[in-house]
Amino acid sequence: MSLATLAAVTTAAPTKLDPLELFLDADIVVQLVIIGLVIASVWVWALMIGFSLRLGGLKRASAAFEEEFFEADGGDATLDNRSRKKIPSARVAAAGIAEFRASHKAGLKDREGARGRIASVMEGQVALEADTLASRLGFLATTGSVAPFVGLFGTVWGIMNSFFQIGMQQNSSLAVVAPGISEALFATAIGLFAAIPAVIGYNRFSNKVNTYEASLQRFADKVHAQISREMEEV
């Protein structure tokens, strides 16, 4: 490389990293990888914000319903309202009461068996509510585990392209390979940018779902105790 060429390269070299310039100068494959990872990152944040708002709303609605349910002594009015059917704790209580009514209609010949069936039905409903909430976190888990490898794929492709340029220009100078390697490593950085919040969000919200499931189970136990008392009076 001539002195004039080296001087031109030195003059054109950027003084700081510019993510947009790195993206625009990258190979088309690396660009597609970066675009996919950016979209995944945006979706991760949208999902976490939406899930946080949804879970907070369900907790408040469940707390209000449970208080009203026990104040009304398990009255049907607290379950007949259509809006109550959207509340997980209301569905848990409704499942237990429905089983109690079915057993009572059959004559309650085996009270212990009926208690076991009621407990089993409500435990199943609690697990269903928790599974429904947890299923929304699947994208976070997938992104957290896959995004780094997708970014690594973009990095490997970019480095391969840089080595190809070395062969084409028959020059192994850093001025030739450095831009391509920088663009390639940028894909890994974007992959980590998408993966790290996804992993943190998944762990955090999984813990919150487990806590909410435990809260529903405590409510189910209280409902079961109340139904058991009513069975003794029959």
Side-chain angles (χ1 to χ4, degrees):
M1 183 178 292
S2 65
L3 292 176
T5 304
L6 285 174
V9 170
T10 303
T11 303
T15 58
K16 63 179 181 179
L17 286 177
D18 186 347
L20 181 59
E21 185 176 347
L22 287 174
F23 171 76
L24 294 176
D25 293 339
D27 182 81
I28 183 62
V29 175
V30 179
Q31 287 182 343
L32 291 175
V33 168
I34 292 174
I35 290 173
L37 290 172
V38 169
I39 293 174
S41 179
V42 171
W43 186 249
V44 162
W45 282 102
L47 182 62
M48 288 194 296
I49 294 172
F51 188 86
S52 180
L53 294 175
R54 174 176 172 76
L55 186 58
L58 287 178
K59 285 183 176 180
R60 291 189 295 271
S62 293
F65 170 80
E66 291 169 18
E67 182 179 356
E68 182 179 349
F69 180 83
F70 289 117
E71 285 180 355
D73 197 23
D76 292 341
T78 58
L79 295 173
D80 290 342
N81 192 334
R82 284 188 176 183
S83 62
R84 300 296 188 190
K85 295 179 181 179
K86 299 180 181 179
I87 303 174
S89 56
R91 290 193 288 263
V92 170
I97 292 174
E99 181 60 35
F100 167 69
R101 288 173 176 169
S103 299
H104 185 270
K105 187 176 181 180
L108 285 178
K109 299 177 182 178
D110 182 5
R111 283 182 167 79
E112 289 303 318
R115 289 191 180 95
R117 289 193 299 273
I118 293 170
S120 178
V121 165
M122 286 195 292
E123 287 176 3
Q125 187 64 39
V126 168
L128 178 61
E129 299 296 340
D131 290 343
T132 301
L133 277 175
S135 65
R136 298 173 178 268
L137 302 178
F139 183 78
L140 295 182
T142 301
T143 302
S145 59
V146 173
F149 296 100
V150 175
L152 184 60
F153 167 76
T155 297
V156 170
W157 184 273
I159 292 176
M160 288 170 56
N161 188 53
S162 295
F163 281 114
F164 178 75
Q165 294 300 323
I166 290 175
M168 290 290 294
Q169 300 183 27
Q170 297 182 355
N171 190 336
S172 60
S173 172
L174 282 177
V176 175
V177 299
I181 293 177
S182 297
E183 297 155 9
L185 292 175
F186 184 55
T188 296
I190 297 297
L192 294 175
F193 181 77
I196 291 173
V199 172
I200 294 174
Y202 177 77
N203 291 334
R204 177 177 176 83
F205 289 124
S206 292
N207 182 62
K208 286 183 176 292
V209 170
N210 291 337
T211 302
Y212 185 58
E213 181 181 9
S215 175
L216 285 178
Q217 187 58 56
R218 288 192 296 271
F219 171 69
D221 292 339
K222 292 179 181 179
V223 173
H224 183 266
Q226 180 172 314
I227 293 175
S228 296
R229 287 193 297 270
E230 292 181 6
M231 292 175 65
E232 292 174 358
E233 297 173 358
V234 175

